[in-house]
Amino acid sequence: SAVISQKPSRDICQRGTSLTIQCQVDSQVTMMFWYRQQPGQSLTLIATANQGSEATYESGFVIDKFPISRPNLTFSTLTVSNMSPEDSSIYLCSVEDVTSGLYEQYFGPGTRLTVT
Amino acid sequence: KQEVTQIPAALSVPEGENLVLNCSFTDSAIYNLQWFRQDPGKGLTSLLLIQSSQREQTSGRLNASLDKSSGRSTLYIAASQPGDSATYLCAVPPQGGSEKLVFGKGTKLTVNP
């Protein structure tokens, strides 16, 4: 199974600022995913990040608001730009392990963001 | 569009009880189904993955079943313990894909000592 770390684990930010969240995996993976979990809600996929190409965003999410980088096969960043209180959520990255043929997904510990 | 529903939304049981969590999905053309556990304010821990060709999967006190034709899965927890208290989420890839996951809203389980 993949081991995923995220930084920061939590942050409190002022509206109008930006925060970059880092995701590091202990093995090389093709696809990395960024999810958002708003308070009391389930997870919603923001975008899929492949190394060497532009991220693919889900409906309702745009690159200007959530720019993503994927410089190599073990690392990705998600930036939450021009934040508002509505961006207060847990942000999680995940990877898909295809080596076993099971396509099991593993998640990082999450970044808890509060925007004041 | 794939939709996932979990019932009940919350469950409170005394320690030692056996319990069943339910998950239903609208599109049966799934590649697999995963059950996750989430502790408050934390990330997700993968509990069990059932491939579409399987009927059930077991890990310790956990047993997950899958009835793809009826669009249902159950997670059975035997001899529940206070440490099992968490939110349990099921997730499936939409439209037969193996990548993006569609999540249910979860069942919040509380096991009382």
Side-chain angles (χ1 to χ4, degrees), chain A residues 30-45:
Chain A
T30 302
M31 303 180 78
M32 297 179 76
F33 308 91
W34 286 98
Y35 287 84
R36 179 176 75 180
Q37 186 177 31
Q38 294 177 300
Q41 302 298 313
S42 193
L43 281 75
T44 302
L45 181 66

Side-chain angles (χ1 to χ4, degrees), chain A residues 37 42 96 102-105 109, chain B residues 31 34 38 43 46 98-99 104:
Chain A
Q37 186 177 31
S42 193
E96 184 178 63
L102 298 177
Y103 296 90
E104 187 165 2
Q105 283 208 14
Chain B
Y31 189 83
Q34 271 187 265
Q38 185 176 32
S46 179
S98 65
E99 305 159 356

Side-chain angles (χ1 to χ4, degrees), chain A residues 69-83:
Chain A
S69 77
R70 183 76 200 276
N72 57 51
L73 292 173
T74 62
F75 187 79
S76 178
T77 66
L78 169 76
T79 299
V80 186
S81 304
N82 188 24
M83 288 184 284

